Amino acid sequence: MRFKFVRTLLVLALLANIIVWHRIWRLFSTQNTLRLLTPTTVVTPDPPQKLHRRLARLVTVVIRQFETFENDVTSTVESVLSLFPTIPILIVSNELPYPPLELDFANESMQNVKLVNLQPEFNKSYDERNPLFYIRTKYVLFLPDGSRLSTKQSMEETVSQTTKLGAVGVPVGSITLNCVNIDLKVKEWSLKFSYTVGTECDGINGKHATMLETKLLRKLTDPFLLPFTDALYIQTTALGVKIHMLSNYHFNEGKSSYKGTQFLWKVQQLHQDRERTMFEKLGIKKVTRASDSIEWYGCSRESSRCFGPVISGIPSYLYQNRFTPPCCISGLRKVAHHVFDKLEEVGIRYWLESGSLLGAMRNGDILPWDHEVQIGVNRDDLERSSWLIQAMDKPVVDNHGFVWKKAIEGEFFKVQYSKVNHLTVNILPFYAKNGSMLRDAWFLNNKDFPEQFLHPMSSIEFAGRQVPCPNNIRDFLELKYFRGVIENPELPGKISFQEFLH
């Protein structure tokens, strides 16, 4: 009996020792992890060799934007390796650099340096062309071409700040960085840049390095898109991420490139081309610069309209949860103003119809999701317009480049922005009979209505000018659609207005 009691005590003592040693090990491990991720002046500094190995396990250096015809990539890579011989380095290029980079990738000292060519190649898998495939560290440092790491401590301090702040920008050289505010409106296809004060920014302007967590990079739609870092910051802004400028730290600047006038011009042209491609890929049509100048991308009068197909009256962008691109709204206003002028010149009676009248009531303009302007006219007035008379036989281009034609869908007319750009104003003929305004045939979603709505006509603000419209607009629209349509309209395809907004 006594033997069993002693044996029980020994087992309990052994378990207690195991628990105590386990808690000591957990405490020691936690302290080491914190020390690894958050350097502090209280802890004795690591020996140089241990420091660079520790940071090499935490950071991958990425050199993204450089020009193949002139760059400082080789010296930039060598400067990093001189401080951190084992740190992973990725050189990411849209195509295989030529002239080739003066780096001996077969050399043992370059075993952690990888050149990633994004361009498809035979016998190269998607993973082999994907930089994210090679990034296994917690952090990524995007180092601009022509940079030099100043000290090992500068890298350690950058890691420490990134751990606390999430994403940071470090000046390269003595340049003063500008904090940029990015107002990104995805639904409206628009982007606005402005300079702001402070150190918490949407983006940073000026030569700098950027460090962020790899898990954030993996959330971006196209993390290595050029121009870099412009594209990076637009995408991080979409996620609500702020970039923190570290004015107390800096990296050194290396060789300066593009000194010749020819090279400078070439770089500027490449930047413009890359910007245009970037805006197209990200679905940005309107860009307002910090100078308040406005630039349009993706559509002009000389190009096709800035959205895809419209099937059964439903434009494709609605299924992307987006409004009509702003350049299309701008083009539609121009077509509408031109049609209004031409009809008024010859005395044709017209009025805003359907969705266009609804837009005038809601916001004095084209509905944010509408892709056409609709106006009604008195059929007896059509022969007053030489353009409409000619359009009855075949399409005709007027003196201002607008195209007048009869619609193949029904007995109405269309006026297009140009031959190639099919932004359209629909002219819908009605005629009076027995107190009602009737149509010759079915067109669009328009209905017959009592003639009294046009006697007398009223006017309303629309697209920057006063335009004729029916009287008792609310009753007119509720007859055309349903009760409460002004406050809670229904988008094409029975898409709920409230669901669309939210």
Side-chain angles (χ1 to χ4, degrees):
M1 187 73 173
R2 182 177 296 175
F3 175 74
K4 289 183 178 180
F5 177 73
V6 171
R7 187 171 64 179
T8 302
L9 286 177
L10 288 173
V11 170
L12 291 173
L14 179 61
L15 288 172
N17 277 326
I18 291 172
I19 292 171
V20 169
W21 280 108
H22 177 71
R23 289 186 177 276
I24 292 173
W25 176 81
R26 287 288 300 272
L27 179 62
F28 178 77
S29 175
T30 302
Q31 288 177 341
N32 274 351
T33 302
L34 290 173
R35 182 167 172 265
L36 179 67
L37 295 178
T38 312
T40 172
T41 54
V42 176
V43 180
T44 304
D46 288 327
Q49 188 176 14
K50 189 175 182 181
L51 175 64
H52 80 67
R53 287 178 179 173
R54 179 165 62 86
L55 289 175
R57 294 195 301 271
L58 283 174
V59 180
T60 297
V61 175
V62 176
I63 301 172
R64 174 58 183 115
Q65 185 158 344
F66 61 93
E67 306 302 343
T68 58
F69 53 83
E70 184 181 357
N71 60 70
D72 191 39
V73 171
T74 299
S75 297
T76 301
V77 169
E78 290 172 347
S79 77
V80 175
L81 293 177
S82 67
L83 293 177
F84 303 99
T86 61
I87 199 166
I89 300 176
L90 290 183
I91 305 165
V92 181
S93 178
N94 276 18
E95 56 189 19
L96 198 63
Y98 190 83
L101 300 174
E102 296 178 355
L103 292 169
D104 184 6
F105 292 100
N107 191 296
E108 187 178 352
S109 65
M110 294 282 173
Q111 60 182 343
N112 294 318
V113 181
K114 181 75 177 177
L115 172 62
V116 182
N117 176 15
L118 300 179
Q119 191 177 53
E121 293 182 70
F122 288 114
N123 303 319
K124 286 279 187 178
S125 68
Y126 174 80
D127 283 342
E128 290 176 290
R129 296 184 290 104
N130 181 10
L132 289 173
F133 178 75
Y134 302 98
I135 299 177
R136 312 293 171 82
T137 55
K138 182 178 177 65
Y139 302 103
V140 176
L141 174 65
F142 288 102
L143 199 61
D145 184 27
S147 302
R148 305 287 187 269
L149 297 186
S150 46
T151 62
K152 293 180 180 178
Q153 284 68 35
S154 65
M155 175 75 89
E156 188 174 26
E157 289 163 351
T158 303
V159 171
S160 176
Q161 293 299 315
T162 306
T163 303
K164 291 188 287 187
L165 301 173
V168 301
V170 184
V172 173
S174 58
I175 190 172
T176 300
L177 302 180
N178 293 312
C179 188
V180 179
N181 179 64
I182 302 175
D183 183 12
L184 174 64
K185 295 181 178 178
V186 177
K187 276 185 181 293
E188 288 83 2
W189 310 70
S190 66
L191 185 65
K192 183 177 182 179
F193 298 103
S194 59
Y195 291 122
T196 185
V197 295
T199 58
E200 188 178 83
C201 319
D202 293 326
I204 299 175
N205 189 21
K207 190 172 183 177
H208 66 285
T210 306
M211 182 177 284
L212 44 78
E213 293 190 56
T214 302
K215 66 180 182 181
L216 171 60
L217 198 66
R218 294 184 186 278
K219 293 179 181 179
L220 306 182
T221 182
D222 195 343
F224 301 95
L225 181 62
L226 295 179
F228 208 82
T229 54
D230 305 40
L232 176 72
Y233 292 148
I234 293 172
Q235 294 175 79
T236 53
T237 296
L239 296 177
V241 174
K242 295 291 184 180
I243 312 298
H244 299 263
M245 287 197 302
L246 303 183
S247 54
N248 295 330
Y249 310 104
H250 77 280
F251 296 146
N252 293 333
E253 190 168 19
K255 171 189 169 184
S256 58
S257 302
Y258 325 127
K259 292 181 179 179
T261 304
Q262 182 180 0
F263 281 154
L264 282 173
W265 178 86
K266 189 173 182 179
V267 169
Q268 290 171 357
Q269 292 301 308
L270 285 170
H271 180 79
Q272 291 176 8
D273 293 342
R274 289 165 181 163
E275 233 186 12
R276 190 175 298 106
T277 301
M278 172 185 70
F279 291 137
E280 181 181 347
K281 285 188 173 182
L282 297 180
I284 304 298
K285 305 290 188 183
K286 180 182 179 182
V287 177
T288 305
R289 301 291 182 179
S291 61
D292 287 333
S293 63
I294 296 176
E295 298 171 1
W296 300 100
Y297 291 88
C299 71
S300 68
R301 195 175 187 188
E302 291 72 36
S303 65
S304 60
R305 67 187 178 195
C306 55
F307 55 85
V310 178
I311 300 175
S312 300
I314 307 171
S316 56
Y317 54 79
L318 289 183
Y319 290 103
Q320 300 173 354
N321 199 35
R322 287 186 161 193
F323 291 132
T324 309
C327 50
C328 284
I329 293 290
S330 177
L332 270 175
R333 292 192 193 105
K334 293 175 182 177
V335 185
H337 287 188
H338 180 72
V339 173
F340 298 157
D341 290 339
K342 292 303 176 185
L343 296 183
E344 290 173 3
E345 282 178 8
V346 295
I348 291 182
R349 295 165 288 178
Y350 71 92
W351 60 90
L352 283 182
E353 265 287 345
S354 305
S356 298
L357 182 58
L358 180 59
M361 278 293 285
R362 285 185 56 83
N363 57 289
D365 204 346
I366 299 165
L367 285 170
W369 57 85
D370 214 349
H371 64 283
E372 295 174 321
V373 170
Q374 298 180 30
I375 61 174
V377 298
N378 194 305
R379 186 184 66 179
D380 296 339
D381 292 345
L382 293 180
E383 292 187 358
R384 296 184 182 184
S385 168
S386 62
W387 299 115
L388 289 174
I389 292 173
Q390 295 177 70
M392 291 179 184
D393 296 326
K394 62 179 181 180
V396 56
V397 180
D398 67 21
N399 300 332
H400 299 276
F402 295 88
V403 180
W404 299 66
K405 65 181 184 179
K406 190 174 181 181
I408 59 174
E409 304 97 315
E411 296 296 321
F412 66 100
F413 296 88
K414 292 185 174 185
V415 183
Q416 291 178 184
Y417 197 10
S418 68
K419 284 185 176 180
V420 293
N421 193 317
H422 292 184
L423 291 173
T424 302
V425 170
N426 294 318
I427 301 176
L428 315 174
F430 288 83
Y431 62 95
K433 184 177 181 180
N434 299 327
S436 295
M437 297 300 293
L438 309 178
R439 306 155 295 166
D440 276 331
W442 176 91
F443 46 70
L444 306 177
N445 295 319
N446 291 271
K447 298 179 179 178
D448 301 339
F449 60 91
E451 189 178 2
Q452 65 187 27
F453 281 110
L454 302 180
H455 300 293
M457 281 204 286
S458 185
S459 67
I460 193 170
E461 178 77 16
F462 180 74
R465 65 188 284 174
Q466 286 291 316
V467 180
C469 68
N471 58 58
N472 296 318
I473 299 174
R474 177 176 291 276
D475 292 344
F476 183 83
L477 286 172
E478 291 187 349
L479 174 67
K480 292 273 183 172
Y481 294 103
F482 53 85
R483 187 176 297 276
V485 66
I486 296 174
E487 291 74 24
N488 190 28
E490 193 174 71
L491 279 66
K494 306 295 182 181
I495 299 173
S496 165
F497 176 62
Q498 296 300 327
E499 289 178 1
F500 184 80
L501 288 182
H502 300 293

